[in-house]
């Protein structure tokens, strides 16, 4: 499917500029979608045949799966080996929204805290089942470094003993 500049959502552009505190935000309020996209270097080609770059479609289109199959995050919780009680959730939309929604879901649904009161000190010890900052970093890398030409979604799989995030092609093989 050939994408056009019309596939870029102006509201998503402006929202991104606002959230990232860009100097372009104030100017963008009086600019066309084409002018904003041009200023952000999100389009390519000659004036008579301008086309959005892939990142424009992934971040500034409500349905990036229209252009990139499996451009989504799939979450599955497998509470036991039989699969009974399994819960699945799909995060779709612009990739930065998928990331934000998936992280919020993980924080509220997956992360749990135990508080231990020790006899010899006034402060309690707080322990989480997974460190949120590590999950945030891993999932952010999975979203922004995924090959969207590979028709596999990003998956988050939770079992009683692990949380696994998969994104293809995965880590660079040179990383030990």
């Amino acid at each position: 499917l050939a994408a056009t500049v019309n596939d870029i959502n102006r509201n998503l552009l402006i929202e991104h500029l606002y959230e990232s505190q860009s100097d372009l935000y104030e100017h963008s309020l009086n600019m066309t979608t084409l002018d904003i996209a041009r200023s952000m270097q999100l389009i390519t080609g000659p004036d008579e045949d301008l086309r959005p770059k892939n990142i424009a479609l992934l971040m500034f289109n409500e349905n990036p799966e229209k252009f990139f199959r499996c451009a989504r995050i799939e979450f599955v919780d497998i509470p036991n080996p039989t699969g009974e009680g399994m819960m699945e959730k799909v995060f779709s939309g612009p990739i930065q929204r998928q990331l934000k929604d998936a992280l919020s879901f993980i924080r509220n649904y997956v992360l749990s805290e135990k508080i231990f009161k020790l006899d010899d000190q006034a402060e309690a010890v707080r322990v989480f089942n997974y460190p949120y900052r590590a999950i945030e970093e891993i999932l952010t890398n999975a979203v922004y470094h995924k090959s969207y030409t590979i028709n596999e979604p990003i998956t988050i799989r939770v079992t009683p003993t692990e949380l696994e995030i998969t994104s293809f092609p995965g880590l660079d093989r040179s990383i030990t």
Side-chain angles (χ1 to χ4, degrees):
L1 182 63
T4 68
V5 175
N6 292 332
D7 291 308
I8 299 174
N9 182 308
R10 183 176 185 277
N11 292 334
L12 291 174
L13 287 170
I14 292 172
E15 179 182 315
H16 174 76
L17 293 171
Y18 177 78
E19 288 178 359
S20 62
Q21 299 177 353
S22 170
D23 292 338
L24 183 57
Y25 170 70
E26 291 296 329
H27 301 288
S28 71
L29 300 175
N30 299 313
M31 296 169 71
T32 66
T33 303
L34 177 61
D35 290 337
I36 299 169
R38 193 176 264 138
S39 295
M40 294 175 69
Q41 300 178 9
L42 295 172
I43 53 177
T44 188
D47 285 342
E48 60 274 4
D49 190 31
L50 290 172
R51 299 289 174 175
K53 292 181 179 179
N54 290 348
I55 192 64
L57 299 171
L58 287 164
M59 290 185 69
F60 305 112
N61 183 284
E62 286 291 346
N63 185 16
E65 283 192 89
K66 179 178 173 183
F67 306 99
F68 305 94
R69 273 188 58 214
C70 298
R72 65 181 178 271
I73 299 172
E74 294 180 357
F75 173 92
V76 62
D77 179 16
I78 307 168
N80 63 59
T82 67
E84 187 177 326
M86 186 168 74
M87 193 272 286
E88 297 176 302
K89 183 161 181 62
V90 174
F91 300 94
S92 57
I95 60 172
Q96 72 277 20
R97 183 184 307 149
Q98 290 179 36
L99 175 61
K100 188 178 191 182
D101 292 349
L103 286 171
S104 178
F105 183 79
I106 289 169
R107 177 178 267 154
N108 294 319
Y109 180 80
V110 176
L111 297 186
S112 62
E113 176 183 30
K114 292 211 183 233
I115 302 171
F116 299 95
K117 178 67 180 116
L118 303 177
D119 293 336
D120 60 341
Q121 67 184 47
E123 300 84 21
V125 175
R126 297 173 176 268
V127 178
F128 286 88
N129 56 341
Y130 298 103
Y132 177 76
R133 287 179 49 172
I135 292 170
E136 181 181 42
E137 183 69 22
I138 292 165
L139 189 55
T140 299
N141 282 318
V143 169
Y144 290 117
H145 296 289
K146 178 187 184 309
S147 171
Y148 288 92
T149 61
I150 297 174
N151 293 327
E152 291 290 333
I154 294 167
T155 58
I156 304 166
R157 186 173 173 266
V158 178
T159 68
T161 59
E162 66 185 11
L163 184 148
E164 178 182 271
I165 298 173
T166 306
S167 176
F168 292 98
L171 295 174
D172 185 321
R173 295 194 190 285
S174 67
I175 298 172
T176 59

